[in-house]
Amino acid sequence: MREFVITVNSTVDLPKEWLEERHVPVLPLKYTIDGENYTDMSGLTAKEFFQKLREGHMSVTSQINPEEAREMLEPFVKEGKDVLHLGFSSGLSGTCNSMRIAAEELAEDYPEAKIIVIDTLCACLGEGLLLYYALKLKEEGKTIDEIAKWAEENKLHVCHNVTVDDLNHLQRGGRISKAAAVLGTLVQVKPIIHMDNNGKLQVIAKERGRKKSLNKIVDMAVEQSKGWENEIIMITHGDCLKDAEYVAGRVREKMGIENILINNIGTVIGSHTGPGVIAVFCMGNER
């Protein structure tokens, strides 16, 4: 059996050290603020980035192109390794399509190589959760095909439960109208968002006040995860660690899970959600 690697994009939003310890190659996306270009995971720190957003600066992101994808994948193929790439949701970016184009080109030049690109239909630590279990399967000796099959069968069981604090970023991204953003801000409405089966973010409910919205996303995870064995719960936040720790406490209390990974949301995903976002990710029933 040929050796293989599992690769991801930086939108996986796991700690850089976590990925390095597990030897997971990462292809980062980029973003631009005030005419300055930055690379996700190695540009501005979370505090620096979200402070800029709070000051009113806009961050514009860019997807991976096929040339960048090929530059990342080809060295592994040259070494005689196969590649399983867990891609950023096609519902949010053209990055996954670029990875597929690169894989098809490489297959022509390296016919002996196997390059599998999975459209995870996930984002942020949803991708991270899928990667967590894929790496576990790899450690257990599963083949690249077996892991790819598992990922395809389970990607819609990765549940994304999200609430945001700043409605203006949703409005800029076209998720809600400007009038709704203004009114919602005045009455402290906090939208509840999930990832649908097409890998797109959808506002599915609203809660009045921050605490209620935080409790709601935990309650959703509790319901979704019934009948599932969750080894780990992942929580992301947009520079609001205290809120993330509150949510983690509720997860421990209501789900009985101690293994919780908390990490700042990445700068690329954070460009679209703004500061104050909180999300809980678990394996559960279909979205």
Side-chain angles (χ1 to χ4, degrees):
M1 184 175 70
R2 281 166 58 98
E3 188 178 349
F4 68 95
V5 295
I6 301 176
T7 65
V8 294
N9 297 114
S10 59
T11 49
V12 76
D13 284 354
L14 284 161
K16 192 174 181 180
E17 302 75 23
W18 191 98
L19 293 162
E20 289 173 348
E21 285 172 8
R22 290 158 180 80
H23 309 291
V24 178
V26 180
L27 179 55
L29 277 70
K30 296 180 174 62
Y31 59 99
T32 303
I33 299 181
D34 297 333
E36 292 288 328
N37 297 319
Y38 299 95
T39 300
D40 201 13
M41 283 192 170
S42 61
L44 297 170
T45 66
K47 286 222 169 281
E48 292 169 337
F49 174 75
F50 285 113
Q51 183 57 35
K52 282 183 176 289
L53 295 191
R54 289 185 177 107
E55 292 169 356
H57 300 275
M58 287 289 294
S59 175
V60 179
T61 61
S62 58
Q63 67 186 47
I64 298 297
N65 62 47
E67 292 75 23
E68 292 170 320
R70 178 171 180 134
E71 287 177 11
M72 187 254 202
L73 297 173
E74 190 165 21
F76 303 111
V77 177
K78 279 186 173 179
E79 293 173 4
K81 296 176 181 177
D82 292 333
V83 181
L84 172 60
H85 181 78
L86 301 178
F88 181 28
S89 173
S90 63
L92 299 176
S93 171
T95 291
C96 189
N97 189 51
S98 293
M99 301 302 298
R100 281 183 168 156
I101 291 171
E104 289 168 5
E105 291 176 354
L106 288 169
E108 292 180 5
D109 296 339
Y110 303 87
E112 74 287 353
K114 181 176 291 186
I115 308 169
I116 304 173
V117 177
I118 302 287
D119 179 0
T120 66
L121 300 176
C122 295
C124 192
L125 289 179
E127 288 175 77
L129 200 56
L130 206 64
L131 173 64
Y132 172 89
Y133 287 108
L135 290 172
K136 185 183 177 192
L137 291 172
K138 188 171 188 281
E139 288 177 6
E140 292 172 359
K142 301 296 185 184
T143 66
I144 186 172
D145 291 307
E146 289 172 326
I147 299 173
K149 183 173 184 290
W150 180 90
E152 286 287 3
E153 291 175 348
N154 286 275
K155 64 188 185 183
L156 292 182
H157 290 290
V158 181
C159 302
H160 303 55
N161 302 298
V162 189
T163 185
V164 299
D165 199 37
D166 187 348
L167 295 176
N168 293 312
H169 286 274
L170 286 182
Q171 182 262 316
R172 290 168 190 152
R175 298 292 171 193
I176 59 174
S177 68
K178 187 170 184 179
V182 172
L183 179 60
T185 299
L186 287 174
V187 298
Q188 284 294 296
V189 165
K190 307 300 179 184
I192 304 299
I193 302 167
H194 85 143
M195 185 78 80
D196 67 17
N197 287 352
N198 296 312
K200 296 183 179 181
L201 293 172
Q202 301 291 349
V203 178
I204 57 171
K206 297 182 178 70
E207 293 289 334
R208 183 70 64 84
R210 177 69 160 176
K211 188 64 67 70
K212 285 185 178 179
S213 71
L214 299 181
N215 290 336
K216 178 66 174 179
I217 59 175
V218 175
D219 290 342
M220 288 168 62
V222 170
E223 282 302 311
Q224 292 160 345
S225 63
K226 284 181 178 176
W228 285 75
E229 292 293 332
N230 273 280
E231 292 184 8
I232 186 171
I233 299 295
M234 296 189 178
I235 298 172
T236 195
H237 65 96
D239 193 31
C240 49
L241 181 58
K242 285 187 178 179
D243 285 343
E245 290 173 339
Y246 169 80
V247 168
R250 295 289 288 175
V251 166
R252 292 187 184 96
E253 177 187 337
K254 304 196 80 171
M255 299 179 73
I257 297 173
E258 292 294 328
N259 188 15
I260 301 173
L261 184 149
I262 299 176
N263 194 42
N264 262 300
I265 199 166
T267 47
V268 166
I269 303 290
S271 296
H272 302 280
T273 59
V277 61
I278 292 279
V280 178
F281 302 87
C282 66
M283 297 298 296
N285 302 312
E286 290 199 27
R287 303 173 190 176

